[in-house]
Amino acid sequence: MSSPPTVAVIGAGAFGGWTALHLLRRGARVTLIDAWGPGNARASSGGETRILRGAYGGDRVYVEWVARSLKLWREAESLWRRRFYENTGMLWLCGDDDSYVRDSLPYLEAAGLHAAEMSFDDAEDRFPQFDFTGVRTLYVEKEAGYLLARRACQAVADAVDAHKNGQLRYSEAAPGPIRNGGMERLNLSDNAKLRADFYVFACGPWLGRLFPEVIGERFLRVTRQEVFYFATPPGDTLFEDLLCPSWVDLGERIFYGIPGNEHRGFKVADDTRGEPFDPTSDERLPTPARLEEAREVLARRFPAMAGAPLVESRVCQYENSPDGHILFDRHPQAANVWLLGGGSGHGFKLSPALGEYAAGIILKDGTPDPLFRLDRPGHGESFQTQFGH
């Protein structure tokens, strides 16, 4: 093209925002569109915090993306003079099967990330706030921690809007007609029509609804997920960032947590997939049963927190692909339309590297890795887990 390509990115969450920013850095003109704004309460990228961890079983590409993303997160902090990443470390508490973490160790080492098995004597000395009953093996991941999710989404969108070739636009977008192998335009909720050379739909739990024939519930299922924040004992710093790691408990069910949260409470969440959820219209009220389960885990793993009052809660959502992997592919009937989603609860931390990867594929008219494509093995089969906010 003799002039810079124009790209419309629909969805200002982590995937859409970072993809838009990398497209701008590669010379495109970009309009980033979101119905409610970056980091809004309905978005999968909304909320206060997301875990950053490198262990990914045998999925080498994700480990490499975590390492790359960590570098990009730190560069963003320096460039924008805002904090997004808190390096608490990650404590993995494994039951009978520790293969998910153990199989990650060679990939972590190759990527420059550090993780190692920890003895119970060392763990009890270093982390006295934990009760390790029922745990068979422990691992510590040094560079892991958490990201300030809503703050990061807003900062990325601000950077897009501040760029000379970028614009952030608040509107609901719907796909326009597809003719002759391409999409002609977007239809916006203010009755405007927007035309671009490329369209990137990175709209999380709404992706299947916008493209029911191509994606629908066969490829993405939206589930309700509840997150709880508990008050820490007064004057007790053992549950704050400096002394407590983020953690994942790989027992019969996967629970995870984040300390500190800028004094917003001790975060506890169940990774078990919840009930089907409508991110637009369903109310986000926590359920007593899920709260009681979180309290039981809290009391078992952190005895000093038993009976701690709930100070905050959130209902968010996962959008799950059949195999837990990210979706990134071209629309089969529209060569200028790209579909990006399927974060499946784990994608936020990867968004800087994923956006960089996606921007390169889109502008070079390339082909994504088969792992992310619509026609990959496992399409439409039983849904698997790929965990971790």
Side-chain angles (χ1 to χ4, degrees):
M1 298 180 182
S2 58
S3 58
T6 57
V7 187
V9 179
I10 301 90
F15 285 8
W18 276 103
T19 300
L21 188 57
H22 283 296
L23 286 165
L24 285 166
R25 290 173 174 174
R26 290 173 179 262
R29 299 179 65 88
V30 179
T31 302
L32 179 61
I33 306 165
D34 200 282
W36 293 288
N40 71 80
R42 290 183 173 93
S44 296
S45 295
E48 297 305 310
T49 55
R50 295 290 184 276
I51 281 176
L52 187 153
R53 44 92 180 180
Y56 258 100
D59 292 325
R60 175 184 54 80
V61 65
Y62 290 140
V63 178
E64 293 175 351
W65 276 1
V66 170
R68 175 61 179 161
S69 292
L70 182 55
K71 180 179 180 181
L72 292 171
W73 283 116
R74 285 170 164 158
E75 287 179 357
E77 289 183 320
S78 178
L79 180 63
W80 300 329
R81 298 183 180 180
R82 300 183 66 181
R83 185 174 68 88
F84 307 117
Y85 166 62
E86 190 68 40
N87 180 203
T88 63
M90 171 70 71
L91 184 62
W92 294 87
L93 300 90
C94 303
D96 293 332
D97 184 4
D98 67 355
S99 60
Y100 187 87
V101 185
R102 186 177 294 278
D103 292 350
S104 303
L105 298 180
Y107 299 117
L108 290 166
E109 186 66 26
L113 303 174
H114 303 91
E117 188 171 353
M118 178 179 250
S119 72
F120 283 93
D121 286 342
D122 288 346
E124 289 167 356
D125 181 59
R126 183 174 170 186
F127 305 125
Q129 60 274 70
F130 284 82
D131 184 325
F132 297 112
T133 301
V135 178
R136 298 293 181 90
T137 51
L138 293 166
Y139 295 86
V140 171
E141 190 179 332
K142 183 179 178 181
E143 285 84 8
Y146 68 83
L147 296 157
L148 297 172
R150 177 176 52 83
R151 179 186 297 181
C153 286
Q154 292 168 348
V156 172
D158 287 345
V160 170
D161 202 37
H163 195 285
K164 64 178 181 179
N165 289 330
Q167 178 189 15
L168 174 63
R169 187 165 179 174
Y170 288 75
S171 185
E172 185 178 10
I178 295 175
R179 299 190 181 96
N180 301 317
M183 183 176 289
E184 293 185 353
R185 66 175 186 270
L186 290 177
N187 298 321
L188 303 183
S189 55
D190 58 4
N191 296 319
K193 313 296 182 185
L194 179 64
R195 289 176 170 82
D197 297 313
F198 301 102
Y199 304 92
V200 182
F201 287 86
C203 39
W206 293 275
L207 194 56
R209 182 181 300 178
L210 291 179
F211 299 97
E213 296 83 8
V214 175
I215 300 176
E217 290 193 357
R218 292 175 298 115
F219 210 102
L220 290 181
R221 295 182 186 174
V222 182
T223 59
R224 171 191 173 95
Q225 308 296 141
E226 299 186 24
V227 180
F228 301 99
Y229 301 83
F230 295 95
T232 58
D236 190 342
T237 59
L238 282 175
F239 299 95
E240 297 295 328
D241 299 327
L242 292 177
L243 297 177
C244 186
S246 300
W247 54 275
V248 177
D249 191 340
L250 297 178
E252 293 183 6
R253 289 168 63 174
I254 299 169
F255 281 82
Y256 61 93
I258 297 175
N261 296 310
E262 297 189 322
H263 311 295
R264 298 179 66 91
F266 192 79
K267 180 176 180 177
V268 178
D270 183 358
D271 191 68
T272 305
R273 299 319 188 233
E275 300 79 15
F277 189 71
D278 186 325
T280 301
S281 60
D282 282 355
E283 292 193 338
R284 296 172 183 262
L285 299 174
T287 56
R290 300 290 85 78
L291 174 58
E292 184 57 31
E293 289 168 355
R295 287 191 188 280
E296 290 174 0
V297 171
L298 190 70
R300 173 164 49 87
R301 282 284 170 245
F302 306 94
M305 292 283 287
L310 182 72
V311 292
E312 192 172 333
S313 63
R314 284 188 56 81
V315 176
C316 55
Q317 69 269 332
Y318 289 168
E319 62 269 7
N320 304 301
S321 59
D323 54 12
H325 290 299
I326 286 165
L327 163 64
F328 175 53
D329 203 358
R330 200 190 302 265
H331 190 291
Q333 284 84 48
N336 62 343
V337 173
W338 292 87
L339 308 172
L340 178 59
S344 298
H346 72 104
F348 190 97
K349 63 184 157 302
L350 304 169
S351 52
L354 173 60
E356 185 177 52
Y357 173 80
I361 295 287
I362 292 164
L363 294 181
K364 291 180 180 178
D365 197 27
T367 301
D369 188 299
L371 182 67
F372 312 123
R373 294 181 55 176
L374 283 162
D375 60 358
R376 68 192 188 231
H379 175 96
E381 298 176 4
S382 61
F383 279 56
Q384 306 299 317
T385 184
Q386 180 65 277
F387 63 87
H389 253 57

